[in-house]
Amino acid sequence: MFRLIALILILIALALVARDGYASWQAEAVRIMDAGTLWAGLHQDSLQLAEPAISRHLHPFLWHPVMVTLLLLPAWLVFGVVGIGLWLLTRLRARPASRDLFMRH
């Protein structure tokens, strides 16, 4: 299940890279969408509600500077890092040690 989510996040990151590339080509200048702009474009109200919710219910430090920094990063980078990180976490399974023991005897 987590691998599927990771794959979807990686595909979204690739789509965002393509979108930024196309927008840059059209404008004949570098145009990179940050994560905050993407979020605002998808659902402005939830972005506006996130700041007071995170600051009040979790910790103010989590909004500024942590979330603000993440929201200013390129959207493809955020999705890509989370997707690749999740993919790697699903691959880091412990190898069965018992198999090695049986092979030696």
Side-chain angles (χ1 to χ4, degrees), residues 3-43:
R3 280 195 186 177
L4 177 63
I5 294 169
L7 181 62
I8 290 169
L9 291 173
I10 292 168
L11 290 174
I12 290 171
L14 291 173
L16 289 168
V17 165
R19 180 246 169 249
D20 287 348
Y22 182 73
S24 296
W25 177 69
Q26 289 287 80
E28 296 181 359
V30 177
R31 300 281 185 236
I32 298 174
M33 181 186 300
D34 60 72
T37 302
L38 177 63
W39 188 355
L42 292 173
H43 199 266

Side-chain angles (χ1 to χ4, degrees), residues 76-95:
W76 60 264
L77 182 64
V78 174
F79 279 92
V81 167
V82 173
I84 291 170
L86 189 57
W87 181 270
L88 290 175
L89 283 176
T90 61
R91 302 215 10 111
L92 296 176
R93 293 185 182 166
R95 299 201 176 177

Side-chain angles (χ1 to χ4, degrees), residues 46-62:
S46 66
L47 177 58
Q48 291 174 346
L49 292 173
E51 191 268 330
I54 290 171
S55 294
R56 274 189 233 144
H57 299 293
L58 296 174
H59 195 280
F61 179 79
L62 289 177

